[in-house]
Amino acid sequence: MDDVAAAIADPVRRRILELLRERRLPAGRIAEEFEISRPAISRHLRVLRDCGLVRDTVVGRRRLYELDSTRLVELIRWLTPFTRTDLWERRLDALETEVYRARRDRRTGDSPSATEERTA
């Protein structure tokens, strides 16, 4: 997990992963997206390949790079508790339930304030 986190810490490598998210690309096409040298892009690709986020395939004279997102699973699993989306989802679900209950009670006249008014 540490090598994956270190690899994606660099903004150039993150952008390369974004490019490879859609399709396989040759190194030259990847390099066209950046204002840095092709050897620098090759070094970034090597880091991504060494940590397993990218794999390459030789097709004819070209080397095509593609994303291998399976290495992200462990990092995602570790990061998920920090997002606390499950907590917000439960709170929003409870709020939705209360809104529907209040609307229903208002339509049927069963709201607590209406009951108190009728009995007083």
Side-chain angles (χ1 to χ4, degrees):
M1 178 173 64
D2 291 342
D3 58 340
V4 171
I8 64 174
D10 186 281
V12 171
R13 291 193 283 265
R14 288 194 306 268
R15 178 68 181 125
I16 291 171
L17 293 176
E18 289 170 0
L19 292 170
L20 295 175
R21 183 173 46 200
E22 300 297 322
R23 63 186 177 280
R24 299 185 317 166
L25 293 171
R29 175 66 187 92
I30 294 168
E32 290 173 2
E33 296 291 322
F34 299 93
E35 294 184 12
I36 59 177
S37 68
R38 286 180 184 245
I41 293 297
S42 292
R43 286 190 294 275
H44 285 293
L45 286 167
R46 185 174 43 243
V47 169
L48 292 170
R49 191 176 56 236
D50 289 348
C51 76
L53 286 171
V54 168
R55 64 177 167 252
D56 60 336
T57 308
V58 177
V59 178
R61 294 182 352 183
R62 296 183 349 164
R63 184 177 300 270
L64 296 176
Y65 291 87
E66 62 185 311
L67 175 67
D68 183 357
S69 60
T70 58
R71 289 283 294 158
L72 292 169
V73 172
E74 185 180 355
L75 183 60
I76 291 168
R77 191 176 301 128
W78 184 81
L79 287 170
T80 298
F82 293 99
T83 61
R84 302 192 61 136
T85 55
D86 58 328
L87 175 65
W88 281 106
E89 286 176 15
R90 285 195 308 266
R91 288 180 179 178
L92 291 173
D93 286 345
L95 176 62
E96 181 181 31
T97 300
E98 289 303 316
V99 167
Y100 283 126
R101 184 176 295 143
R103 286 181 182 166
R104 183 195 64 216
D105 291 349
R106 200 174 317 135
R107 278 194 307 267
T108 62
D110 288 341
S111 66
S113 60
T115 306
E116 289 172 2
E117 290 174 10
R118 280 190 262 146
T119 59

